[in-house]
Amino acid sequence: MPAQYDFPAATHLAAGVQGQPGKRAFYLEAGEEGRWVRAWVEKEVLQALAEAIDQLLAQLARSRVAGPQGAETSPALAEPRPGEPAADFRVGRLALGYDEARGHLVLVFHAEDTPEQAPATLRCSVTPGQMRALSEQIKTVCAAGRPRCPLCGGP
């Protein structure tokens, strides 16, 4: 079973890509100063995550539940982190939620090879502002590839 990583106040949250258009691999990074994890995801999953983040933030804004927004952008969100991660795995399942007590949004990743009942491989909690910045970064990363065909949706 993979190691468990919990970042209750993540300072680093970024989306990135490696490779050339048509052969790209997408990932999310989360962590804190000195320790972080890279989770590989499919492009479609990344795009769906950005949409889910936007929907959750809009819902929280409508219900006026979200607390202080935090910084919209920060250097930690601008560039994927260099160096070696504490863990590097492929995502099988992920979840997005809201921690009402702290006013933070929570991302939970399960590694591809973990059973359904296994605990999360990675859990990180960030401010709504950090999550909004991640959503924008995901959209930028995904849009940088080949354009979609308007008829079939393929590249």
Side-chain angles (χ1 to χ4, degrees), residues 82-108:
E84 292 299 316
D88 199 348
F89 62 92
R90 208 151 173 74
V91 173
R93 295 176 292 130
L94 63 89
L96 174 66
Y98 180 67
D99 180 351
E100 192 171 352
R102 296 185 60 215
H104 279 194
L105 279 81
V106 180
L107 273 174
V108 180

Side-chain angles (χ1 to χ4, degrees), residues 7-8 13 48-60 65-67 93-110 120 122-132 134:
F7 301 107
L13 185 61
L49 176 60
E51 187 176 317
I53 290 168
D54 292 345
Q55 289 173 354
L56 180 56
L57 289 172
Q59 180 183 358
L60 292 172
V65 171
R93 295 176 292 130
L94 63 89
L96 174 66
Y98 180 67
D99 180 351
E100 192 171 352
R102 296 185 60 215
H104 279 194
L105 279 81
V106 180
L107 273 174
V108 180
F109 301 85
H110 296 271
L122 168 64
R123 181 182 187 281
C124 70
S125 178
V126 296
T127 66
Q130 285 174 294
M131 197 64 82
R132 184 175 292 107
L134 176 64

Side-chain angles (χ1 to χ4, degrees), residues 3-18 26-40 76 79-89 109 121-124:
Q4 307 300 308
Y5 296 92
D6 189 16
F7 301 107
T11 56
H12 175 71
L13 185 61
V17 63
Q18 284 185 350
F26 296 85
Y27 58 87
L28 289 166
E29 293 178 349
E32 52 198 23
E33 198 61 42
R35 194 173 130 225
W36 58 283
V37 174
R38 180 181 297 132
W40 298 91
E79 286 294 320
R81 186 166 283 194
E84 292 299 316
D88 199 348
F89 62 92
F109 301 85
T121 303
L122 168 64
R123 181 182 187 281
C124 70

